[in-house]
Amino acid sequence: MVRTLVGAVSMPRDSERHAADGPILPGGTLGILGGGQLGSMFAMAARRMGYRVEAIADSADCPAARFSDRLHVGGYEDPAFLAAAALGLDAVTFEFENVPAAAGEALAAAVPVRPDPAVLFITQDRAREKAFLTRHGFECVPHRVVRSRSELVDACAVLGLPAVLKTAAFGYDGKGQRRLKVGDDPTSAWRELGGDAAGGPREFVLEAWVDFICECSVVVARGQDGTTAAFPPLRNAHANHILDLSSLPAELPPEVEAEASRIAIGILESLGVVGVACVEFFVTAAGRVLVNEIAPRTHNSGHLTIEACETSQFEQQVRAVCGLPLGSTRVVTPAAMANLLGDCWFDDMGNRREPDWAAALSVPGVSLHLYGKSEPRRGRKLGHLTAVGPTVAEAVTRVTLARRLACGHDA
Ligand code: AMP
């Protein structure tokens, strides 16, 4: 019997829980766990293809609500709510991985969940994810798992500074991370991340600082039959630990792109993913490709596939989850994407203002995506701009110009 091993726990796979009875065809109903923008873009793709979409979220005021046929609002820790939400769904996938493992299990008891909740369990925790990568021979950043101040001090001595301390669980978009420079007192970072707080995080990962020449990511879809389709690597630039710009083609040396794609596909195969996942990498000056992290879902860096590829990452997710043939990942045009953070809604004096969308859209090749989030907080992703162009350099120029025109500054 095929089982997914999660630490000492053995979990049944989708195929054991639910008889495989052919693809889920248009007209079927798909559930998406999480209410964010990845869910709304999934819903747009699925509804265009003739599916009903029901979002399962912990708040009614969420981007996915605008594009779903139905929204279930309740707690991700409430198995009864999740079991009720699953009624009538043909399959569920994720747009957000920071949910209790029990949430995935509660859904999986009622409906096929793709990828399997066991994948979520591994990838939602940096310590488990790195243990998985190491066990399967995928090279990741040198690191130590730390559970106390003294373990942190020891880890700093072993790995050296600079380094970055990250909470093992529930970290995203730079949340739960502190960079430690040479000479810093590591215990301040420990305190700032809540290491001493009652009910604070219990487990952290200290990572050596990687002096990378660039970051890239590979979005891969894997079908129930094991077929995989990888989008070409995306080149990513982060600001303050949050994705800022992505571009395609990445224009990395061909052997680096081939290696990143090979590793990403290998990871999805080892995890037994059915659906879409993204693997983020650091590329070093020596051409080494180190895994940074895995997202068991579509990814911010893949948003530009909507404009740039024959199939978008969201349509690909629909196809993979429904057991349909995967679409072509061919790049039809160079493209670049710039995130729009809440900062764009504030001027240099910190006063609220509306960005100048007309100015942004005056730039050739630019598309605007706004997620409909009500509150523009600094550092919060509220939308993105994509630009297509004859070359990737031109697409990057266009998208950064469009963002500067909209926001008045480069944010
Ligand atoms: P993460 O949430 O772990 O993907 O981190 C967000 C971003 O912070 C990464 O994409 C990098 O730009 C930066 N970062 C995180 N960890 C490291 C590291 N060990 N070395 C260098 N940069 C890092």
Side-chain angles (χ1 to χ4, degrees), residues 256-280:
V256 169
E257 295 207 5
E259 179 68 351
S261 302
R262 187 190 68 75
I263 295 170
I265 291 169
I267 288 174
L268 266 81
E269 286 173 341
S270 303
L271 281 170
V273 169
V274 175
V276 166
C278 176
V279 183
E280 290 182 78

Side-chain angles (χ1 to χ4, degrees), residues 46-69:
R47 291 184 66 179
R48 177 176 53 74
M49 294 168 76
Y51 291 93
R52 271 180 56 81
V53 177
E54 300 193 6
I56 305 169
D58 62 356
S59 156
D61 180 20
C62 65
R66 301 191 304 151
F67 297 98
S68 305
D69 294 279

